[in-house]
Amino acid sequence: MLMNKFPKDFVWGTATSSYQIEGASDLDGKGPSIWDAFCSIPGKINNNETGDIACDHYHKFKEDIQLMKEMGVKAYRFSIAWSRIMPTGKGAVNEKGIQFYSELIDELLKADIVPWVTLYHWDLPLALQMENDGWLNKDITDYFKEYADICFDRFGDRVKNWITLNEPWVVSILGYGQGVFAPGRVSNSEPYLAGHHLILSHAKAVKLYREKYTHQKGEIGISNNCDWREPLTDSKEDKDAAERALEFFIAWFADPIYKGDYPKVMKERLKERLPSFSKEEKELITGTSDFFGLNHYTTMFAANSDGIKKEVAVNGNGGISEDQDVDLSVDKDWKVTLMDWAVVPWGCKKLLKWIDKRYNKPNIYITENGCAYPDKLIDGKIDDQERLDFYQGYLIACQEAIQDGVNLKGYFAWSFMDNFEWALGYEQRFGLHYVDFKTLERIPKKSAHWFKKAIKNDSAEVSL
Ligand code: PNW
């Protein structure tokens, strides 16, 4: 068999986020975040679980970095908990929080692992929510900039890869539209306002980084999430519906960043519910990403809606459905993960090509891709063949996209270890490493052993 190789400098990585793994939710001066508060409301999280302890990465980070080193990953993407280094989100800095991330970064560099740092992965300082209405208030754009300034200042000598925001789509739709994520608000207009301020916050942080920290010579971007939307039929209506669904999903955030404004179809359909950018803001936003960060998990069919089905959007469906007139469905023959997300590697390839074309061949990094399964520990081992198959399928699709000319430069597996899967709690295991949430022991799964071999061979066409 001819082994298709990834380029030598391909970035093989793995990813996590602060609230999902750190624990130590009120230790060493950390302030509460909206996720601490959200988890305290009965019924919001499966089994009323919380991130209070999570994987206790706060105390076990050295052990975790050893496991990463053992796997041979070249890069590790993690996020900083804003309220750990600024307990109320503004003003005073908590030196103990700075110290934690500083040691984490040093330990990574010692292990030859390149840190990729996300500034915001959803754990907004609670004070900013209570006193300033979180992402609904334009003030947040300046607070975020001040927070980013501290991160660049304190960590930028060693961190050269920055991601401002993780999945503004999820923050907006699940946090302000469906209310299933913190801060739990339900609205059909707030998501677009929150999204607007997320984009401006991103842009202000990037401008600051480029002007004040030029000497650090790093790269900065944003990670947007998007599923693929395949037209259900060959009809023009369904093709348009699939395109519209993608525009409402990823172009909502990527168009302003690459083209300076929202997609036309969103402006036409949302009217005054979609805020507009001033001329100065358009200039501020345009071109504010050195790379295209993509989090990708699944694929659905899209069909033009007859306007009758007006159900409230469900998890994973791509936005407020009545704004789009798109009906989504899956093929009953597709395999699904524990989250019910369909496993469709060719959807990943098609999405990469769509991004490549629409945004004029950017360097793309898949900053998340992975799957949840109900892994069981048997005789000290986890035989997660389904996850192994998932990674192999998606990585081969990535390789094909590269062969077709897409500038895909790296891939981060979500996630390094099982962790707190937000409203779904600990049941959904996404990790390459199994975590026993009673003893907090970590055990590499079969997929981790496979991933190690794939990295070593620079190819997904390996078998264990
Ligand atoms: C992402 N959706 O979340 C996050 O970045 C991770 O923190 C998370 O653990 C991972 O994917 C798995 O869920 C998403 O509904 C949550 O489309 C929901 C959606 C997409 C991504």
Side-chain angles (χ1 to χ4, degrees):
M1 175 166 70
L2 187 89
M3 274 250 261
N4 285 313
K5 296 260 187 189
F6 282 92
K8 259 279 158 268
D9 55 354
F10 192 72
V11 176
W12 294 88
T14 171
T16 64
S17 87
S18 46
Y19 192 70
Q20 295 181 275
I21 65 163
E22 283 178 3
S25 62
D26 61 356
L27 234 60
D28 294 339
K30 176 181 168 292
S33 81
I34 55 171
W35 270 94
D36 290 309
F38 193 66
C39 292
S40 76
I41 304 172
K44 295 291 181 191
I45 314 292
N46 189 34
N47 300 320
N48 292 318
E49 287 163 344
T50 74
D52 288 357
I53 299 171
C55 307
D56 200 25
H57 174 74
Y58 189 74
H59 295 110
K60 289 174 159 292
F61 70 94
K62 290 190 178 163
E63 181 188 326
D64 290 334
I65 292 170
Q66 276 317 302
L67 289 168
M68 287 175 209
K69 193 175 172 184
E70 173 56 34
M71 263 182 74
V73 295
K74 310 262 188 287
Y76 171 51
R77 171 176 177 239
F78 65 92
S79 77
I80 293 176
W82 187 341
S83 70
R84 199 180 285 291
I85 69 166
M86 290 175 103
T88 62
K90 29 180 148 156
V93 171
N94 176 31
E95 289 302 329
K96 286 211 165 139
I98 299 277
Q99 191 189 335
F100 169 67
Y101 293 109
S102 213
E103 285 176 18
L104 172 65
I105 292 162
D106 288 343
E107 196 71 16
L108 285 165
L109 295 173
K110 225 162 71 189
D112 258 334
I113 298 170
V114 178
W116 281 60
V117 179
T118 308
L119 292 173
Y120 184 74
H121 200 125
W122 311 350
D123 41 359
L124 188 77
L126 183 60
L128 281 180
Q129 188 69 46
M130 296 180 72
E131 296 165 13
N132 299 71
D133 284 338
W135 294 103
L136 296 180
N137 186 332
K138 202 170 188 175
D139 288 353
I140 192 134
T141 60
D142 289 319
Y143 291 123
F144 182 73
K145 186 175 119 184
E146 283 165 34
Y147 158 62
D149 197 359
I150 288 164
C151 294
F152 301 145
D153 179 39
R154 301 300 192 93
F155 310 124
D157 54 336
R158 290 154 290 159
V159 173
K160 305 296 168 189
N161 300 276
W162 294 98
I163 291 166
T164 54
L165 306 173
N166 181 66
E167 304 185 349
W169 178 91
V170 168
V171 176
S172 306
I173 294 293
L174 304 190
Y176 288 86
Q178 299 173 20
V180 295
F181 280 11
R185 298 190 60 90
V186 178
S187 164
N188 76 352
S189 61
E190 286 183 6
Y192 300 113
L193 184 60
H196 195 70
H197 296 145
L198 283 155
I199 295 167
L200 290 169
S201 300
H202 155 82
K204 285 192 181 183
V206 172
K207 182 174 157 59
L208 174 83
Y209 184 64
R210 289 182 175 165
E211 288 175 357
K212 188 169 168 191
Y213 296 95
T214 328
H215 58 281
Q216 292 184 353
K217 298 191 167 45
E219 295 212 328
I220 189 162
I222 184 169
S223 284
N224 280 302
N225 63 305
C226 194
D227 303 343
W228 174 247
R229 296 295 182 242
E230 180 72 10
L232 181 66
T233 72
D234 275 342
S235 72
K236 173 156 191 325
E237 287 73 22
D238 287 353
K239 283 183 181 162
D240 288 350
E243 191 68 11
R244 196 159 67 238
L246 289 167
E247 291 185 24
F248 266 86
F249 209 151
I250 198 159
W252 174 7
F253 298 99
D255 271 22
I257 290 167
Y258 284 85
K259 300 165 183 275
D261 205 359
Y262 291 118
K264 191 162 148 263
V265 69
M266 290 188 76
K267 294 206 246 185
E268 282 168 3
R269 285 176 169 255
L270 297 170
K271 306 205 167 66
E272 67 284 354
R273 277 188 295 144
L274 186 70
S276 52
F277 295 114
S278 68
K279 192 170 161 284
E280 293 73 39
E281 286 171 339
K282 285 179 183 171
E283 277 163 21
L284 171 76
I285 302 158
T286 311
T288 49
S289 213
D290 295 325
F291 55 86
F292 198 107
L294 173 68
N295 295 354
H296 174 72
Y297 286 95
T298 190
T299 284
M300 284 179 125
F301 284 121
N304 189 40
S305 170
D306 52 14
I308 296 166
K309 277 194 210 147
K310 296 271 180 187
E311 290 149 39
V312 177
V314 289
N315 213 6
N317 101 337
I320 300 176
S321 49
E322 54 273 38
D323 289 340
Q324 304 175 31
D325 288 314
V326 176
D327 286 337
L328 298 169
S329 58
V330 291
D331 186 324
K332 62 177 183 358
D333 291 333
W334 287 343
K335 288 187 185 142
V336 294
T337 71
L338 189 59
M339 302 268 275
D340 263 338
W341 291 354
V343 181
V344 190
W346 55 258
C348 179
K349 181 176 162 185
K350 287 197 176 190
L351 178 61
L352 287 168
K353 293 178 88 159
W354 188 90
I355 291 167
D356 180 73
K357 189 164 167 224
R358 188 176 182 97
Y359 301 109
N360 195 21
K361 309 199 74 54
N363 282 343
I364 304 174
Y365 290 87
I366 291 186
T367 42
E368 286 181 26
N369 177 234
C371 51
Y373 286 106
D375 303 311
K376 294 269 177 315
L377 187 62
I378 299 165
D379 295 333
K381 291 199 171 101
I382 295 96
D383 184 354
D384 60 337
Q385 184 65 43
E386 286 167 307
R387 183 173 292 100
L388 191 164
D389 293 342
F390 178 99
Y391 278 124
Q392 181 157 48
Y394 275 82
L395 278 158
I396 288 174
C398 287
Q399 161 94 71
E400 288 170 5
I402 293 172
Q403 278 169 359
D404 287 352
V406 172
N407 293 320
L408 179 66
K409 300 293 179 189
Y411 177 98
F412 292 76
W414 184 272
S415 176
F416 165 66
M417 62 183 154
D418 296 338
N419 57 49
F420 178 74
E421 181 49 35
W422 308 110
L424 299 172
Y426 293 97
E427 230 166 72
Q428 307 284 334
R429 293 179 176 271
F430 268 92
L432 288 162
H433 292 80
Y434 180 87
V435 176
D436 177 329
F437 288 104
K438 290 201 178 74
T439 64
L440 296 172
E441 188 189 354
R442 285 90 154 113
I443 302 167
K445 299 179 189 175
K446 191 177 184 178
S447 56
H449 295 298
W450 178 84
F451 209 78
K452 176 180 178 174
K453 199 166 171 189
I455 297 173
K456 198 161 165 243
N457 288 277
D458 271 317
S459 173
E461 289 170 2
V462 293
S463 48
L464 260 191

